Amino acid sequence: MLLEQLKDIVGPKGWTTDPGDIQSRLTDWRGMVRGTTPIVISPVSAAEVSALVRACADAGVAIVPQGGNTGMCAGAVPDASGTQIILSLARMNAIRAVDANNFSMEVEAGCILEKIQNAAIAVDRYFALSLSAEGSCQIGGNLSTNAGGINVVRYGTARAQVLGLEAVLADGSIVSSMRSLRKDTAGYDLKQLFIGSEGTLGIITAATLKLYPQPGPISTALVAINSAGDAVRLLSFLRAEFADAIEAFELVSEYVFGLVVKHIPDTEMPLEDTAPWYVLMDVAIGGNEERLEAVLIRAAEADLLSDAVIAKNSTESEQLWHMRHAIAEAERAERKAQKHDISVPVSRLEEFLQRGEALLADLVPDAQLVAFGHVGDGNLHYNVALPEGSEDGTLVTTAIYDLVDELGGSFSAEHGIGSLKREYLPKYRSEGEIALMRTLKRALDPKNILNPGKVI
Ligand code: FAD
Ligand code: 2HG
Ligand code: ZN
């Protein structure tokens, strides 16, 4: 009965129950969780989303919003009950308007991130969010997880790229704050409720995004360093030289680049000698490679790096970034590691890594650290590949999160909570914070039909 109602709302092109079509939507990108669903429903407008949610609310049936399904915490996957409905935003993929003089763009939630970046370039503007999954993740998913990526060091996370938002609430009503203002202090900032809440408080249907001027020619350098602490000191050194022209500053361990070379075709390290760590950086200084080289030479004289290569052209730059963007794929091909997308204050990264190393040596000496990440934001992917058959996963994860917590960091800095990290939220957030989260969830979704079992 409900299924027939949902089918009528979206018409014949808007739904599928074909197991072949549905398969890939039932499991997350890493294959950690598998669920089932009776139907995948794909509306084309906020009005259709509204009608679908109203029908599900009346029937008390849960909805799992799904974007590109590239999330790392299994937040877009239904549970195993077979009752939860997947609502895909894939057909809501229009760029509604671009206002070049206001440096803003209105998009539907199902727009692929790369399409948005290209639409900005087409009017000589820049959309600042960039991550390895940009060819398949959707802006609705990016906003729902408050995604980070490689440019946060300069432009902030997804949250900072939003001027306005449209969302459908759990009772089917549509709330639109699709304003394109940089200044607006009228009441609560409602859009921020939905950003980072992983589909548990509402379904994002559209957003007004902030654009920037093009940063101009980018110079890319790969730098070899002896310790992760040197990466932090190098960043401070470079910031004194280049202020906020550092567009990206990514740390990668020797082991991790080794995984990329092993699993990803046509990749090789451009530096002859190996080093324990590398930093891959983009600097927007008008294409002045001589200046970059001179500064890196001074950094080497200050013992902050041991070797460096500067890309001579965009092809070389793309090759270097290809190595970085392939890391998650390479790690997946090798072995599923325990993922920890943690953050600590940048100034405490070195201490975190030293203490983390000692902790792992003590707890699981046979484990392999798979560490890389967005060091400019203090956000590391401190992933740990445990020996086959090991049952120490929870022990290791808890020990790492405890250390992060002690250093004033966050156990979940980039990918969200989803279903995989849900048990840890009450441990690392105060009672007051958890109580307020529950109050918000109850107020906005009293029947608990929006992505139940996720986050809280
Ligand atoms: P999905 O995976 O489909 O969904 C994610 C969550 O958002 C789910 O809870 C889902 O229910 C909810 N959701 C989706 N759309 C909506 C909507 N319209 N309204 C309400 N809720 C919705 N993340 C980073 O932050 N930084 C990175 O650098 C990064 N790199 C990645 C690299 C790779 C190779 C991969 C596979 C993933 C990476 N991710 C990264 C993880 C992931 O968070 C991002 O890919 C992206 O933000 C998820 O978007 P999506 O459209 O795939 O969302
Ligand atoms: C990245 O920075 C993503 O590449 C994925 O956030 C991190 O695979 C991971 O652990
Ligand atoms: Zn990341």
Side-chain angles (χ1 to χ4, degrees):
M1 171 67 181
L2 172 68
L3 294 195
E4 295 312 312
Q5 228 181 319
L6 301 180
K7 289 175 188 174
D8 282 349
I9 292 167
V10 292
K13 288 190 180 153
W15 59 271
T16 178
T17 52
D18 178 345
D21 294 342
I22 290 179
Q23 273 311 311
S24 64
R25 297 177 170 280
L26 297 179
T27 189
D28 58 302
W29 191 82
R30 299 185 69 219
M32 304 294 287
V33 170
R34 189 166 187 84
T36 53
T37 189
I39 193 165
V40 175
I41 201 106
S42 309
V44 289
S45 65
E48 284 190 4
V49 176
S50 162
L52 293 167
V53 174
R54 216 178 286 276
C56 287
D58 287 346
V61 168
I63 300 168
V64 180
Q66 193 173 86
N69 197 19
T70 66
M72 290 283 181
C73 307
V77 177
D79 68 14
S81 67
T83 59
Q84 300 189 331
I85 282 161
I86 296 181
L87 190 150
S88 163
L89 281 298
R91 292 206 301 158
M92 293 182 62
N93 60 5
I95 293 191
R96 287 187 187 160
V98 183
D99 185 344
N101 285 331
N102 193 50
F103 286 77
S104 64
M105 186 193 289
E106 259 188 50
V107 301
E108 290 182 343
C111 270
I112 301 288
L113 175 54
E114 199 172 57
K115 177 172 166 176
I116 294 171
Q117 295 166 340
N118 289 335
I121 291 169
V123 293
D124 197 26
R125 298 290 181 267
Y126 181 62
F127 183 60
L129 194 66
S130 175
L131 44 118
S132 309
E134 63 200 21
S136 53
C137 62
Q138 299 175 4
I139 191 69
N142 302 145
L143 299 182
S144 301
T145 55
N146 185 26
I150 61 169
N151 293 148
V152 175
V153 65
R154 181 165 193 184
Y155 301 98
T157 61
R159 190 181 293 289
Q161 319 307 325
V162 183
L163 299 173
L165 202 80
E166 178 187 86
V168 173
L169 304 185
D171 64 356
S173 54
I174 302 173
V175 175
S176 177
S177 310
M178 288 291 284
R179 283 175 284 271
S180 54
L181 304 172
R182 274 160 178 80
K183 297 186 87 170
D184 180 9
T185 55
Y188 302 140
D189 192 353
L190 296 175
K191 62 182 180 293
Q192 297 298 349
L193 269 180
F194 304 101
I195 300 172
S197 62
E198 302 178 56
T200 61
L201 299 181
I203 299 175
I204 297 173
T205 48
T208 307
L209 303 173
K210 186 193 282 183
L211 304 180
Y212 283 89
Q214 286 280 345
I218 301 280
S219 303
T220 302
L222 178 72
V223 166
I225 54 177
N226 288 322
S227 75
D230 281 347
V232 173
R233 288 181 281 276
L234 180 63
L235 179 60
S236 291
F237 181 91
L238 295 178
R239 275 190 157 143
E241 295 287 339
F242 300 132
D244 69 349
I246 297 165
E247 295 267 316
F249 196 85
E250 298 280 302
L251 181 71
V252 183
S253 74
E254 178 187 9
Y255 174 78
V256 169
F257 266 148
L259 283 185
V260 172
V261 172
K262 179 175 169 191
H263 291 289
I264 308 296
D266 305 322
T267 53
E268 60 174 346
M269 285 301 283
L271 295 168
E272 265 178 30
D273 294 332
T274 58
W277 295 94
Y278 298 90
V279 168
L280 180 58
M281 68 180 89
D282 269 354
V283 191
I285 45 170
N288 189 343
E289 264 94 40
E290 291 77 23
R291 183 175 166 214
L292 179 58
E293 188 178 353
V295 171
L296 290 179
I297 287 172
R298 277 200 284 119
E301 286 163 358
D303 277 338
L304 292 177
L305 59 93
S306 57
D307 200 358
V309 60
I310 298 174
K312 287 194 282 301
N313 47 48
S314 58
T315 309
E316 284 190 10
S317 168
E318 277 160 25
Q319 281 165 351
L320 289 173
W321 278 105
H322 178 53
M323 305 257 315
R324 166 62 186 94
H325 288 310
I327 291 176
E329 185 77 57
E331 188 196 89
R332 185 172 69 165
E334 177 76 7
R335 184 154 42 130
K336 272 180 208 156
Q338 295 267 126
K339 288 212 182 281
H340 308 107
D341 63 313
I342 58 93
S343 67
V344 292
V346 178
S347 53
R348 303 199 78 173
L349 261 174
E350 188 168 26
E351 183 185 354
F352 168 73
L353 281 160
Q354 281 166 357
R355 290 178 60 183
E357 195 182 332
L359 186 148
L360 290 181
D362 186 33
L363 282 182
V364 274
D366 294 340
Q368 172 64 54
L369 179 62
V370 188
F372 61 99
H374 319 284
V375 70
D377 321 321
N379 171 205
L380 271 192
H381 298 300
Y382 195 76
N383 303 338
V384 180
L386 295 168
E388 216 67 58
S390 166
E391 290 177 358
D392 292 330
T394 308
L395 182 77
V396 169
T397 293
T398 306
I400 291 169
Y401 288 170
D402 282 349
L403 174 59
V404 166
D405 198 45
E406 191 192 322
L407 296 178
S410 171
F411 77 102
S412 180
E414 201 183 42
H415 298 151
I417 301 291
S419 57
L420 296 183
K421 284 185 266 171
R422 191 175 167 223
E423 66 187 282
Y424 296 100
L425 190 65
K427 183 164 183 209
Y428 299 106
R429 287 293 177 267
S430 67
E431 274 177 31
E433 288 171 303
I434 295 292
L436 183 52
M437 286 186 208
R438 287 196 200 288
T439 302
L440 285 170
K441 174 69 177 167
R442 267 196 305 272
L444 284 168
D445 183 16
K447 292 185 178 171
N448 196 24
I449 61 159
L450 292 180
N451 220 0
K454 315 289 165 49
V455 185
I456 188 111

